[in-house]
Amino acid sequence: MTYLEYIKILVEMIKFLRRSGIRNMLRTTFSSSFHDQIQSSKSRIKDITAMLVLQVNTAGMDASKKRDQEISDLLLERLAYTPKVPLEGLPIRFLQITRNDQYYERGLVMDQISTALENHAIRMSSVALHGRMGCGKSSIAVEYLYRNQGDYEAVIYLNASDRTKLERQFVELAPRLGFDPYKRGAKDSREWVQTWLSTTGIKWLILFDKADSTAILRECWPVASHGAIIVTSCDPLAQDEGLAANGLRINAFDDIDGAEFFLSFLGRPDSIIHEDRDAANALTKRFSGWPFGLRVAAAYIRRKNINAARFLRLYDEKPRDILEFSTTGTSLSSLSQLVLNGITHDTAELLDGLSFLGPSEVPVELFDNVAFHFLDASEWLWSRSLIEYDRSKKFFCVDPHTHGVWFDKIMENRERYDMVFGKVLDYLLDAVPEPDLLQPRDPELWKLRDIYFFEKGEFQLGFDYVDIAESIAQKQNVTDPKVLSILFYVHGRLATETSQLSLSADCFEWALDLFRQSFADDEDNLLESGKIYLSRLYSCLGNALTAVNRVTEAEAYHIEALTTALETEESLSSTRVGTLCANFGSCLLWKGDYSQAEDFLSKRYYGMIADLNATYMLLEMSTCDKVASKRHSIYTEKS
């Protein structure tokens, strides 16, 4: 109506302007003026607008009142359906799983669960047991339910491995809590079970077993002021994503407990068990303490009526028969396939690398520049508890059994083995720095170069890794002389730092011979970095030979170290050349040539080595005049 008044005013205005002045004068004489008409329309517009505002406000109040009534009706309906469990219906036991009569005690884990749930009567308490598949999470949780069921008036077990199973269990559980199962579907049953958990005043404990999907678990998570929840999951996020308040990682057995666990399944007299103990220890190491693997091995031994030692031989001779063996419907092979079900291409490539590098303390930085999506791949493995990070997030460990299974798969195909090995070498070459040839003792470089261990004093660890590297080089028939030279150089440095004098001399001689092979003794074609490394080798070998009293040979190598260094840009550093002169002077002292030793040592002391001509003059006075003269002529030409 408002817009009609505006149109009416507009039409009257047009008519007024189109009429002649006499007609307008006569019209205003016998009827209201045009001004009065406009004022009348404005008044009507104002009244209409006020009426509309009143209607809008009234409609809003009506809608709000209606909404409040709907909410009130819904709450009343909920209260009307809130179950009133009769006293004769308690205690409630919804346990669709039998107790394991061969449960093996797992340290303090039961006490840790009790501590996490101790305040269940006054607030919601929860704990997630997470770890790889087959490590005993469910056995621990079910045993806790049976042991502590007397502390709760309602104890509920739910298999949460998939949504369908969970919904079927909610439908079965609802009548036990006082609901009519014939009037409601699976979703309604779940919602009302959650309502019951949220509103009941009795003490309750619920176990969500095998809850590997946090999305499914979140749908079923009750919101209550009290109660206790245990979750078992391969995914550590069952705790980290705001579900369980506490988390306990369930690991494999150590060597001692693993052997005892295995023997407990054999059911043999103590005298016979004693004979099986050595084999049990070996089996525990073979399965990396994995409970499921040890249990299957014990079942195979009982079924076939053999001893543990015989089982070990069969496992080496016919592994396929044992991998496919099962008494419960799940074999080692099928469980391994289940663990790796749906593995992505990037995850497979990451496992390829880890199978060579793992299983423990693999540096994350090795995969910083890889072509595949490392973060996605590592997340896939971590969500299934197949890898575990340290606190610094700089290293991670791989589940030992998965590591072994995957490596065996690679070994089945020689072509794949060679391809993976080549990729791993590329990872190492990209991530590991070369040995520092200029300032090996510079503390600022230790964080970047601690992999070589002789720079930080971790000598035994260095020797361990050198042994591994030499073993790999031998097995893979590595023949690149430069690679082998660097390997023996590092070995020699470690031997020098640990005062293994003969070993250091041998290693540096091998390193020098190999490096000479790489450039066929043609030093003129060496790049700057090659000449620096060659000078370092000469100097290290000279020091090692001096230490074993082969001073005549040592003197020649020290001169080679100096003359080679003076041909490089490194010669501009008085510190480096001065160090070489100091090494040479020490050699001359051991030889008994005190006069010439004093010359070199004084040059070192007073920092005069920057005068390269003076250094050449000293070299020309040494026992290798021909070599020195040749070097001097080269230097003169370069100048």
Side-chain angles (χ1 to χ4, degrees):
M1 294 179 66
T2 304
Y3 73 89
L4 290 176
E5 288 295 332
Y6 281 112
I7 293 175
K8 180 180 178 182
I9 293 173
L10 183 61
V11 170
E12 290 297 330
M13 185 180 294
I14 293 173
K15 289 180 177 180
F16 180 82
L17 294 175
R18 294 183 65 179
R19 288 195 297 262
S20 65
I22 296 175
R23 290 187 62 186
N24 285 333
M25 182 179 67
L26 292 173
R27 185 177 181 81
T28 55
T29 300
F30 298 102
S31 61
S32 60
S33 65
F34 182 64
H35 178 267
D36 293 337
Q37 293 178 14
I38 293 177
Q39 292 299 321
S40 176
S41 295
K42 287 177 63 177
S43 177
R44 284 195 297 273
I45 290 173
K46 185 176 180 181
D47 292 340
I48 293 171
T49 302
M51 179 61 71
L52 290 174
V53 171
L54 179 61
Q55 291 176 352
V56 169
N57 290 336
T58 302
M61 293 175 63
D62 290 341
S64 178
K65 183 178 179 179
K66 184 178 179 181
R67 184 172 63 253
D68 292 342
Q69 185 62 43
E70 290 175 351
I71 294 174
S72 178
D73 293 342
L74 182 61
L75 291 174
L76 290 173
E77 182 183 359
R78 278 293 178 98
L79 290 174
Y81 281 108
T82 299
K84 307 298 181 183
V85 180
L87 292 178
E88 59 268 24
L90 297 176
I92 299 171
R93 297 291 182 261
F94 190 74
L95 298 172
Q96 297 179 310
I97 187 170
T98 57
R99 189 174 187 177
N100 181 6
D101 58 358
Q102 290 185 302
Y103 176 77
Y104 186 85
E105 201 65 51
R106 301 290 292 269
L108 300 176
V109 67
M110 289 294 177
D111 294 335
Q112 292 171 325
I113 296 175
S114 296
T115 300
L117 303 179
E118 60 184 355
N119 294 320
H120 66 89
I122 58 175
R123 67 183 183 189
M124 172 76 83
S125 301
S126 53
V127 61
L129 309 183
H130 58 88
R132 68 157 298 190
M133 194 174 291
C135 68
K137 305 181 296 295
S138 296
S139 295
I140 294 170
V142 170
E143 180 66 19
Y144 185 88
L145 255 62
Y146 277 98
R147 284 189 190 182
N148 297 275
Q149 58 181 322
D151 297 334
Y152 301 89
E153 294 158 291
V155 179
I156 300 170
Y157 170 88
L158 295 173
N159 185 328
S161 58
D162 64 64
R163 184 175 280 103
T164 302
K165 286 183 180 179
L166 204 51
E167 289 179 347
R168 184 169 62 247
Q169 292 169 96
F170 278 124
V171 170
E172 295 174 5
L173 175 59
R176 301 284 300 274
L177 304 180
F179 298 111
D180 185 352
Y182 300 104
K183 295 183 179 180
R184 304 186 184 279
K187 181 180 178 182
D188 292 326
S189 295
R190 170 173 59 80
E191 291 177 351
W192 285 111
V193 169
Q194 290 175 297
T195 301
W196 183 87
L197 293 171
S198 302
T199 58
T200 184
I202 69 175
K203 297 178 181 179
W204 55 265
L205 168 63
I206 184 170
L207 167 59
F208 290 103
D209 192 22
K210 301 178 175 64
D212 296 332
S213 170
T214 55
I216 296 175
L217 184 60
R218 194 178 298 281
E219 292 177 3
C220 306
W221 196 262
V223 179
S225 59
H226 72 283
I229 301 177
I230 301 175
V231 177
T232 67
S233 176
C234 292
D235 192 349
L237 288 180
Q239 175 199 358
D240 292 346
E241 289 201 342
L243 295 171
N246 302 281
L248 291 175
R249 181 176 179 86
I250 307 301
N251 293 310
F253 288 114
D254 59 25
D255 291 347
I256 296 175
D257 284 339
E260 293 295 334
F261 173 78
F262 169 76
L263 293 173
S264 70
F265 277 90
L266 294 184
R268 297 184 177 183
D270 293 341
S271 59
I272 299 178
I273 288 179
H274 180 73
E275 298 175 359
D276 289 332
R277 186 164 296 278
D278 290 341
N281 292 331
L283 270 173
T284 302
K285 294 182 182 296
R286 182 71 61 90
F287 286 104
S288 305
W290 188 33
F292 182 80
L294 293 171
R295 193 165 67 246
V296 169
Y300 188 93
I301 289 172
R302 292 197 309 270
R303 181 66 63 88
K304 303 297 183 181
N305 291 308
I306 59 176
N307 58 27
R310 175 59 177 159
F311 175 85
L312 274 174
R313 291 195 297 272
L314 288 174
Y315 193 44
D316 291 333
E317 297 169 2
K318 300 179 179 180
R320 181 59 57 188
D321 293 345
I322 295 173
L323 290 175
E324 299 297 340
F325 173 79
S326 171
T327 59
T328 60
T330 303
S331 65
L332 289 171
S333 178
S334 63
L335 188 63
S336 296
Q337 292 175 2
L338 184 62
V339 169
L340 298 173
N341 183 41
I343 187 170
T344 64
H345 174 76
D346 290 335
T347 307
E349 191 161 350
L350 176 57
L351 268 180
D352 285 346
L354 294 178
S355 64
F356 279 85
L357 299 169
S360 61
E361 293 188 351
V362 179
V364 175
E365 66 176 350
L366 284 179
F367 302 96
D368 280 348
N369 299 315
V370 294
F372 60 86
H373 297 92
F374 168 70
L375 293 179
D376 293 338
S378 60
E379 179 189 5
W380 195 96
L381 293 173
W382 181 74
S383 67
R384 289 157 178 78
S385 293
L386 299 180
I387 62 173
E388 181 181 6
Y389 288 88
D390 71 339
R391 291 185 177 180
S392 68
K393 306 297 183 182
K394 294 182 179 179
F395 297 88
F396 56 86
C397 303
V398 190
D399 170 67
H401 185 264
T402 303
H403 174 270
V405 169
W406 197 264
F407 186 74
D408 289 342
K409 290 178 64 177
I410 294 176
M411 291 285 289
E412 294 174 358
N413 187 320
R414 180 67 191 188
E415 183 178 350
R416 181 185 178 191
Y417 178 90
D418 292 338
M419 179 189 70
V420 173
F421 182 75
K423 288 184 178 180
V424 171
L425 287 181
D426 290 338
Y427 300 158
L428 293 171
L429 289 174
D430 290 340
V432 178
E434 295 182 5
D436 182 29
L437 303 176
L438 299 177
Q439 298 175 330
R441 296 184 185 277
D442 185 353
E444 294 183 359
L445 300 177
W446 287 356
K447 290 183 179 180
L448 298 176
R449 303 185 181 279
D450 59 1
I451 196 69
Y452 294 107
F453 309 104
F454 60 77
E455 296 164 1
K456 290 184 63 177
E458 299 182 26
F459 303 126
Q460 186 54 52
L461 190 59
F463 278 118
D464 292 342
Y465 277 86
V466 164
D467 289 341
I468 294 173
E470 290 179 351
S471 174
I472 292 176
Q474 183 176 3
K475 290 180 180 179
Q476 296 300 315
N477 194 28
V478 177
T479 58
D480 188 334
K482 290 183 180 179
V483 173
L484 296 175
S485 176
I486 290 288
L487 178 58
F488 283 116
Y489 168 78
V490 173
H491 199 167
R493 288 296 304 275
L494 287 166
T496 300
E497 296 291 345
T498 53
S499 299
Q500 300 181 57
L501 306 180
S502 297
L503 177 60
S504 66
D506 291 341
C507 287
F508 288 131
E509 283 185 312
W510 294 333
L512 180 60
D513 289 342
L514 287 164
F515 191 62
R516 281 174 167 169
Q517 292 177 25
S518 68
F519 61 85
D521 286 329
D522 186 4
E523 295 183 26
D524 294 335
N525 291 327
L526 273 179
L527 299 176
E528 180 83 3
S529 59
K531 291 183 178 179
I532 293 174
Y533 176 57
L534 182 61
S535 172
R536 172 69 70 181
L537 280 177
Y538 283 140
S539 180
C540 289
L541 180 54
N543 289 338
L545 293 175
T546 300
V548 295
N549 205 29
R550 292 164 58 183
V551 290
T552 301
E553 298 172 73
E555 182 181 3
Y557 284 117
H558 279 303
I559 293 174
E560 288 289 347
L562 269 168
T563 51
T564 302
L566 290 169
E567 295 178 11
T568 67
E569 296 295 330
E570 188 184 26
S571 62
L572 300 178
S573 168
S574 61
T575 301
R576 174 64 189 135
V577 180
T579 300
L580 294 177
C581 284
N583 292 340
F584 187 25
S586 298
C587 175
L588 294 174
L589 281 176
W590 281 97
K591 183 183 178 183
D593 193 346
Y594 303 119
S595 176
Q596 198 168 24
E598 181 181 7
D599 289 338
F600 274 94
L601 291 176
S602 62
K603 285 289 184 185
R604 168 70 178 93
Y605 180 77
Y606 290 110
M608 297 171 61
I609 302 305
D611 185 354
L612 301 182
N613 283 314
T615 304
Y616 280 119
M617 291 176 64
L618 287 172
L619 287 174
E620 287 177 352
M621 292 186 292
S622 70
T623 56
C624 296
D625 292 334
K626 292 183 180 179
V627 174
S629 297
K630 177 183 178 183
R631 302 292 188 193
H632 193 187
S633 64
I634 294 174
Y635 172 75
T636 303
E637 292 175 4
K638 289 173 65 177
S639 300

